[in-house]
Amino acid sequence: MTMTKSDLQPKSTKTKEEFVHSVFESIAPKYDLMNNILSFRRHKAWRKFTMKKMNVKPGETAIDLCCGTCDWTISLAQASGSGKMIGLDFSQNMLDYGAVKIKELRLNDQIQLVRGNAMSLPYDDNSFDYATIGLALRNVPDLEQVIREMQRVVKPGGLVVSLELSKPTWEPFKSIYYFYFQRVLPFMGKLIAKKYEEYKWLPESLIHFPDHKQLAAIFEKQGLENVQAYPLTGGIAALHMGTKGKTKSGV
C-alpha cells in the first residue's frame, strides 16, 4: 500500500507501523468501550454474522491476526471447542487485556497469545483452518502482504477472513456517518479515552482503504477462490471471505 501523509500523525517522523503501534498501545484500556462507540455497538452483531458464515467445526484451528483484546479469538475458540487458537498482535498492552478475558473464561489451554507481526507470520505453510483479521486490515503497512501471509498459513481449502470497517454507499446515511466518524468520534475519544489524536487518526485510516468491492478484487488478485463480500449496517463495515485453493501448498 502506498504511504500517504494522512496515514501518519501530523508532523510525525514515525513510520506507519511505528505510529499505529503507539496508537494501540495507548488506547488499549478503553479499546472495547470505544469499539462500541465507533461501530454504534454493532461490532458484536458483525462478528456473530461472520461466525455463522464461517461455520467453524469442532476441533478446527485458527490464527487471529491483530487480535487486540481477543474477542474474536475467544469466539473462535468457543466455536471450535478444542482446536488450538493463536491470537497474534504487535501490541503487548492489547494482548495483556485479552489475556485477562481468556483466563476468566478458562481458555488458557486452548488459546495461545503471541506478540508478532502480521506482515511476517512465524508459522509454517498450511498450519491453520482459518486466518482472521478484525477491524485491523486498514491499519497494516501493506494489506496485500498481510493477505498473502494469511493465505500462506491456512491449509488448502481453508478460509482467509477479514471483518473491517468500510464505506457506506447510500445517501443520506453516508454523509451522516462520515460526519460522525470524522468530526464526532475524535471528540468522544478525547472525552472518554483522553485520546484525541489517536481517534482523529482512526477515521483518516479509512479514507484510502478500499471499499468492499475493491477489497474483494484484492482477495482475488492474491489467488483466493470463491471470494465473498458482505456489506454490513449500510456499508459501514464489510465481511470478506476467500478460500485457499486445494491444490495450493503455499503462496
Side-chain angles (χ1 to χ4, degrees):
M1 178 186 292
T2 302
M3 187 74 70
T4 66
K5 290 182 179 179
S6 64
D7 286 329
L8 302 176
Q9 186 179 24
K11 300 180 181 179
S12 174
T13 58
K14 296 179 180 178
T15 66
K16 179 176 179 178
E17 184 173 2
E18 290 169 337
F19 178 62
V20 172
H21 180 265
S22 69
V23 166
F24 284 94
E25 284 282 280
S26 66
I27 68 176
K30 299 291 185 179
Y31 179 76
D32 290 341
L33 174 62
M34 291 304 295
N35 261 356
N36 285 334
I37 294 170
L38 185 147
S39 70
F40 301 107
R41 299 183 65 87
R42 295 300 297 164
H43 66 100
K44 293 181 181 179
W46 298 340
R47 190 167 61 250
K48 184 177 180 180
F49 175 84
T50 299
M51 291 298 296
K52 183 177 180 180
K53 290 294 182 182
M54 291 174 66
N55 192 26
V56 177
K57 301 292 194 304
E60 289 186 323
T61 61
I63 180 169
D64 186 24
L65 278 64
C66 308
C67 63
T69 57
C70 300
D71 283 348
W72 198 356
T73 322
I74 289 168
S75 293
L76 290 162
Q78 291 172 331
S80 170
S82 59
K84 294 295 183 181
M85 301 292 153
I86 301 294
L88 181 140
D89 203 291
F90 68 171
S91 168
Q92 188 60 51
N93 282 351
M94 287 287 191
L95 292 173
D96 290 344
Y97 278 91
V100 172
K101 297 178 185 178
I102 291 166
K103 183 177 180 180
E104 289 175 350
L105 293 169
R106 300 180 180 179
L107 293 171
N108 301 71
D109 291 339
Q110 191 180 357
I111 298 174
Q112 179 185 3
L113 298 183
V114 175
R115 186 176 181 183
N117 188 344
M119 299 273 289
S120 180
L121 300 177
Y123 297 97
D124 293 336
D125 297 358
N126 311 319
S127 295
F128 304 95
D129 295 299
Y130 302 92
T132 63
I133 185 166
L135 304 180
L137 192 58
R138 72 189 186 284
N139 297 326
V140 300
D142 184 336
L143 68 86
E144 293 192 24
Q145 172 62 18
V146 170
I147 293 169
R148 283 193 292 270
E149 278 292 274
M150 294 172 76
Q151 184 179 11
R152 179 182 67 79
V153 299
V154 297
K155 302 171 185 176
L159 285 181
V160 172
V161 185
S162 168
L163 177 60
E164 183 55 274
L165 296 179
S166 192
K167 300 175 180 179
T169 56
W170 51 275
E171 296 288 4
F173 180 71
K174 180 178 179 179
S175 296
I176 295 170
Y177 178 71
Y178 274 115
F179 177 82
Y180 167 81
F181 201 44
Q182 295 175 338
R183 301 294 181 85
V184 178
L185 177 64
F187 286 100
M188 295 183 74
K190 182 178 181 180
L191 178 66
I192 297 171
K194 310 303 181 187
K195 303 290 181 182
Y196 177 76
E197 287 297 333
E198 289 83 348
Y199 282 96
K200 180 176 180 292
W201 176 80
L202 287 174
E204 292 176 354
S205 71
L206 187 60
I207 293 174
H208 299 283
F209 190 72
D211 63 27
H212 74 275
K213 292 181 180 179
Q214 292 169 331
L215 186 55
I218 292 171
F219 267 50
E220 291 173 345
K221 176 184 174 184
Q222 300 309 318
L224 289 164
E225 301 176 357
N226 303 317
V227 174
Q228 302 171 63
Y230 301 91
L232 304 170
T233 313
I236 69 173
L239 164 64
H240 288 78
M241 301 171 57
T243 303
K244 180 173 180 174
K246 291 189 176 181
T247 60
K248 209 164 190 175
S249 61
V251 179

